[in-house]
Amino acid sequence: MTQKLFGTDGLRGQVNIYPMVPEIALRLGLAAGTYFRNGHKRHRVVIGKDTRLSGYVFETALTSGLCAAGMDVFLVGPMPTPAISFLTRNMRADLGVVISASHNPFMDNGIKFFDNDGFKLPNEAEEAITQMVLDPDMEWNYPPSEEVGRARKIADSPGRYIVFLKNSLPEHMTFDGMKVVLDCAHGAAYRVAPPIFEELGAEVIKIGTDPNGLNINDKCGSLYPEVVAHHVREHGADLGLALDGDADRLIVVDETGRVLDGDQIMAMCALDMMERNELPGKRLVATVMSNMALELFMKDHGGTLLRTPVGDRHVVEAMRREGAVFGGEQSGHLIFYRYATTGDGILAALQLMRLMTLKEKRLSELAALMDLLPQVLLNVHVERKIPFDDVDAVIQAKKTAEAKLDGRGRVLLRYSGTESVARVMVEGENRDLVEELAQYLAETLRANLK
């Protein structure tokens, strides 16, 4: 069986510890270039990154491998992950590469790929690339010297992405009079996000826009929405927007300082799309982590919630298969398929503000449409990811918790695809019971998964 390099969202790990080392990045460039090279035409690849110090290491190594494999490399610098998906399509490139560890701290980094249509690579492509990378006897099919690739920087990529995002709104729409707190997490959106909202007329209070290579996601961004909430209350803003390090997810704060997650944003936008007959089959796609309230909300409005495994890649795959145009994750990955092929935090924010503008309602009024059921999420650090079904104590603990919920709630245990963490989710009608059962399950995992 082939050893895995890729998780649910590409390759990820701590910098200068296998697999996030320059040698692997170089071989990834060679392998990806070899896999996507087709004939003797000039091949193009777009490489973007977030603001981590280590981005320079992996950008250089990947560029070397890709150029050696015969690919011309377009370097766009710090740009959001969804921007690379867009630019890959926009520049007619064969491949897009993002160097980012998303919401992780600066000491981590990652590498993920997009195909020429802006979609994350299918499993078979990742497996073929992995096999080449890990084969110590791999004989690379280098092109002739005259077909080696060139690398150059693309200066106008932020402008292209800004225009693309603004074109997702009605032609004459502005956000005049709106006050927005925007947290870019000292990450990839620090250059492009503020001008978008400012050009549309909003007053923007900026935080998390001074990256130094080490402060990405450091007590800011989508993992710390309380920071935005504080500024919303302090400045009397209409809403707050918290992006993560690569700006593919969004957490929102209403004008009262209340934090709204991806489920609540999906409910608001899905209802609006149903009212405008722009949600085919009234189908919304979300993951197993989404609150039961979202499922009931869709049912009450004549729609259907389709659930997938965790990861926006799984959501997109289901959307393509089912002909859906909107989906996302509770964590804030939101896919507006009419415009984008992956989660885009800035695009999601624009669509939400469009809804507020057209409805002439405050965000708290729109969010009042759905009350979430009590749900507790806990993370447990693990050394090894042993299948839960192989641990009798875990099996019994899950059965006990489900029995106490008596069919009026859910229990979900899963491993993170990007971290050495087991995740516990318990959901039900009684918050005290939900919290008690989540702690019970977390303690069981700690005791049995050392």
Side-chain angles (χ1 to χ4, degrees), residues 200-436:
L200 289 166
E203 177 186 347
V204 180
I205 295 139
K206 295 175 285 189
I207 53 180
T209 55
D210 297 301
N212 61 16
L214 307 177
N215 61 357
I216 187 171
N217 300 314
D218 185 12
K219 297 181 176 59
C220 59
S222 63
L223 292 182
Y224 298 90
E226 64 273 14
V227 176
V228 166
H230 167 75
H231 285 276
V232 166
R233 290 189 292 264
E234 181 180 17
H235 294 278
D238 295 288
L239 76 162
L241 307 170
L243 303 168
D244 67 339
D246 68 336
D248 66 350
R249 70 170 72 183
L250 171 73
I251 297 296
V252 177
V253 175
D254 71 17
E255 77 281 359
T256 71
R258 179 188 174 210
V259 177
L260 307 176
D261 65 15
D263 287 343
Q264 292 160 293
I265 300 171
M266 281 191 281
M268 289 182 271
C269 293
L271 180 60
D272 171 62
M273 294 171 78
M274 284 190 284
E275 291 173 346
R276 292 185 287 116
N277 293 317
E278 291 189 1
L279 195 67
K282 296 187 175 181
R283 287 186 297 268
L284 173 66
V285 181
T287 76
V288 293
M289 296 298 289
S290 277
N291 198 285
M292 280 180 65
L294 183 60
E295 195 168 328
L296 297 173
F297 177 85
M298 289 300 294
K299 185 177 180 181
D300 289 344
H301 290 86
T304 305
L305 179 70
L306 305 177
R307 291 187 183 269
T308 75
V310 172
D312 69 330
R313 174 169 136 182
H314 296 298
V315 174
V316 172
E317 287 172 355
M319 290 172 66
R320 297 176 75 183
R321 185 174 61 249
E322 300 293 336
V325 299
F326 183 45
E329 294 191 277
Q330 184 186 65
S331 60
H333 288 119
L334 299 162
I335 301 104
F336 291 84
Y337 193 58
R338 293 188 189 281
Y339 307 108
T341 55
T342 190
D344 190 325
I346 304 173
L347 174 62
L350 292 174
Q351 296 307 305
L352 186 60
M353 292 172 70
R354 179 199 64 80
L355 179 58
M356 293 172 63
T357 301
L358 292 178
K359 295 283 188 181
E360 297 183 343
K361 289 185 177 181
R362 290 183 174 275
L363 188 52
S364 61
E365 295 177 75
L366 295 172
L369 294 168
M370 183 181 80
D371 293 322
L372 297 175
L373 290 174
Q375 186 186 79
V376 174
L377 304 173
L378 297 177
N379 293 332
V380 179
H381 179 77
V382 295
E383 296 298 330
R384 291 187 301 139
K385 296 180 179 180
I386 306 169
F388 297 123
D389 289 343
D390 291 350
V391 185
D392 290 340
V394 174
I395 295 171
Q396 188 55 50
K398 187 170 184 285
K399 287 181 179 177
T400 299
E402 288 173 336
K404 289 188 176 182
L405 288 170
D406 193 25
R408 304 181 72 82
R410 293 191 303 145
V411 173
L412 182 67
L413 304 178
R414 71 176 188 91
Y415 288 112
S416 167
T418 58
E419 301 172 82
S420 298
V421 164
R423 304 202 195 278
V424 176
M425 188 279 284
V426 181
E427 184 177 72
E429 296 174 341
N430 185 307
R431 175 165 290 281
D432 290 340
L433 177 61
V434 166
E435 291 178 351
E436 174 191 326

Side-chain angles (χ1 to χ4, degrees), residues 37-341:
R37 195 170 71 231
N38 180 23
H40 293 282
K41 73 179 184 74
R42 299 304 299 182
H43 294 79
R44 297 181 293 275
V45 55
V46 176
I47 298 183
K49 60 182 180 178
D50 63 22
T51 56
R52 294 164 210 270
L53 183 63
S54 61
Y56 295 103
V57 174
F58 299 109
E59 182 182 55
T60 303
L62 281 162
T63 299
S64 296
L66 287 161
C67 285
M71 306 282 276
D72 290 334
V73 175
F74 298 153
L75 299 167
V76 302
M79 288 284 285
T81 286
I84 306 309
S85 172
F86 159 72
L87 288 167
T88 301
R89 303 190 311 271
N90 180 258
M91 300 179 72
R92 312 308 193 262
D94 299 276
L95 181 66
V97 187
V98 177
I99 303 165
S100 174
S102 188
H103 58 279
N104 288 25
F106 83 92
M107 67 280 296
D108 292 342
N109 215 330
I111 299 168
K112 53 191 167 188
F113 296 94
F114 290 105
D115 67 17
N116 61 347
D117 290 320
F119 292 104
K120 292 178 181 178
L121 298 190
N123 288 334
E124 55 268 24
E126 291 184 343
E127 289 167 4
I129 291 169
T130 297
Q131 191 170 355
M132 285 188 273
V133 171
L134 298 182
D135 181 358
D137 301 317
M138 179 67 190
E139 294 185 5
W140 301 104
N141 182 24
Y142 290 110
S145 301
E146 65 273 14
E147 293 182 15
V148 167
R150 303 172 185 267
R152 61 190 177 100
K153 294 182 178 179
I154 305 298
D156 68 343
S157 52
R160 293 184 188 214
Y161 183 54
I162 289 172
V163 170
F164 157 71
L165 288 173
K166 288 166 66 176
N167 283 340
S168 73
L169 297 173
E171 185 176 358
H172 299 294
M173 176 171 282
T174 71
F175 299 141
D176 290 342
M178 294 185 76
K179 185 184 292 188
V180 181
V181 175
L182 175 63
D183 185 349
C184 295
H186 298 302
Y190 83 99
R191 290 190 301 169
V192 296
I196 292 171
F197 297 99
E198 289 169 343
E199 289 176 19
L200 289 166
E203 177 186 347
V204 180
I205 295 139
K206 295 175 285 189
I207 53 180
T209 55
D210 297 301
N212 61 16
L214 307 177
N215 61 357
I216 187 171
N217 300 314
D218 185 12
K219 297 181 176 59
C220 59
S222 63
L223 292 182
Y224 298 90
E226 64 273 14
V227 176
V228 166
H230 167 75
H231 285 276
V232 166
R233 290 189 292 264
E234 181 180 17
H235 294 278
D238 295 288
L239 76 162
L241 307 170
L243 303 168
D244 67 339
D246 68 336
D248 66 350
R249 70 170 72 183
L250 171 73
I251 297 296
V252 177
V253 175
D254 71 17
E255 77 281 359
T256 71
R258 179 188 174 210
V259 177
L260 307 176
D261 65 15
D263 287 343
Q264 292 160 293
I265 300 171
M266 281 191 281
M268 289 182 271
C269 293
L271 180 60
D272 171 62
M273 294 171 78
M274 284 190 284
E275 291 173 346
R276 292 185 287 116
N277 293 317
E278 291 189 1
L279 195 67
K282 296 187 175 181
R283 287 186 297 268
L284 173 66
V285 181
T287 76
V288 293
M289 296 298 289
S290 277
N291 198 285
M292 280 180 65
L294 183 60
E295 195 168 328
L296 297 173
F297 177 85
M298 289 300 294
K299 185 177 180 181
D300 289 344
H301 290 86
T304 305
L305 179 70
L306 305 177
R307 291 187 183 269
T308 75
V310 172
D312 69 330
R313 174 169 136 182
H314 296 298
V315 174
V316 172
E317 287 172 355
M319 290 172 66
R320 297 176 75 183
R321 185 174 61 249
E322 300 293 336
V325 299
F326 183 45
E329 294 191 277
Q330 184 186 65
S331 60
H333 288 119
L334 299 162
I335 301 104
F336 291 84
Y337 193 58
R338 293 188 189 281
Y339 307 108
T341 55

